[in-house]
Amino acid sequence: AAMRRQSRLEAMASRVSLLLSLCLALISVAFAWLPGPSLFGAPALRTGARAGVTSICMGRKGAQTGQGGGNTRTVTREKKKKSGGGPTVTKVKKVKGVDVTKSFILNKLDTATKDNFASEILSEKVEKFMTEEAGSSMYPRLMKKIKAKANFLGVSVPDRWAYEALANKYQREKLAEKIDAANAPAEEEDGAEAAEEEAAPA
């Protein structure tokens, strides 16, 4: 009797294991035919405009622009939704105390005329921005646009206007070194000639 019970239990266990394996096989086949991502696959990265904006705006501090040393300003960003739904867009908040920006100069260039070019573009605050806050990539582009607009209007930009800027400090120093190195042999020759004249008998 004990052997019969044991054989029955073994038969039942084999049947249960067979049923479980069949159920698992059917489930895997069903999921393979279902539309959409697989439940067993690795999660995919989110793409699209909204995902990019969320990754940029959330958990980030304000970006710092400028050359530093008291001239740096912090630009913070906020998320805003378009009316009627749609993707999330970002807008830069206006920083208090900063009057001149790159967009400010570009807008002034678009509306500048021959009469107001000097007062709007060649003003003291624009020159201060160019010399103290414009970076090494922004400075030459803005200068090129300003000179091109001046040529188009038939006006001139003063020589060395906004020339001594933080953005081109390295280039100015290298240029000065080259000029000094080129003038050094001529100065030595002049000194040698003066010494020979003094040593010559009267």
Side-chain angles (χ1 to χ4, degrees):
M3 293 181 63
R4 289 179 182 177
R5 289 179 181 177
Q6 186 176 359
S7 61
R8 289 178 182 176
L9 291 174
E10 290 177 355
M12 290 178 64
S14 62
R15 290 176 183 175
V16 170
S17 62
L18 181 60
L19 288 173
L20 288 175
S21 61
L22 288 174
C23 290
L24 291 175
L26 291 174
I27 291 173
S28 62
V29 171
F31 277 124
W33 287 96
L34 285 175
S38 174
L39 296 178
F40 302 101
L45 294 176
R46 291 185 299 173
T47 58
R50 186 180 184 281
V53 169
T54 305
S55 63
I56 293 174
C57 294
M58 296 184 65
R60 295 287 185 92
K61 295 182 179 179
Q64 287 189 344
T65 61
Q67 294 289 330
N71 300 320
T72 303
R73 64 183 186 274
T74 301
V75 178
T76 56
R77 297 182 181 272
E78 61 180 354
K79 293 194 299 180
K80 289 185 179 180
K81 289 186 178 180
K82 292 182 179 179
S83 59
T88 306
V89 297
T90 58
K91 291 185 178 180
V92 179
K93 292 182 179 179
K94 186 177 181 181
V95 182
K96 186 177 181 180
V98 177
D99 297 329
V100 181
T101 59
K102 178 183 176 181
S103 59
F104 173 86
I105 296 176
L106 294 177
N107 291 333
K108 290 293 184 182
L109 285 173
D110 291 337
T111 59
T113 62
K114 186 175 182 179
D115 297 329
N116 66 359
F117 186 84
S119 60
E120 294 291 338
I121 305 301
L122 304 180
S123 62
E124 183 179 355
K125 59 183 181 180
V126 173
E127 184 177 5
K128 184 178 180 181
F129 175 84
M130 294 293 294
T131 55
E132 297 182 5
E133 294 194 40
S136 57
S137 60
M138 184 191 303
Y139 176 85
R141 295 176 183 176
L142 286 178
M143 286 295 294
K144 185 177 180 180
K145 290 181 179 295
I146 290 172
K147 291 181 179 180
K149 187 68 174 183
N151 291 333
F152 176 77
L153 296 175
V155 296
S156 60
V157 178
D159 188 27
R160 301 179 68 85
W161 179 83
Y163 176 71
E164 296 183 358
L166 292 175
N168 62 359
K169 182 179 179 181
Y170 177 78
Q171 290 81 357
R172 288 188 287 107
E173 290 177 351
K174 288 297 181 181
L175 181 61
E177 291 177 0
K178 290 181 180 180
I179 294 175
D180 293 340
N183 293 334
E187 293 178 356
E188 291 178 358
E189 290 179 0
D190 293 341
E193 290 178 359
E196 290 178 358
E197 291 178 357
E198 292 179 356

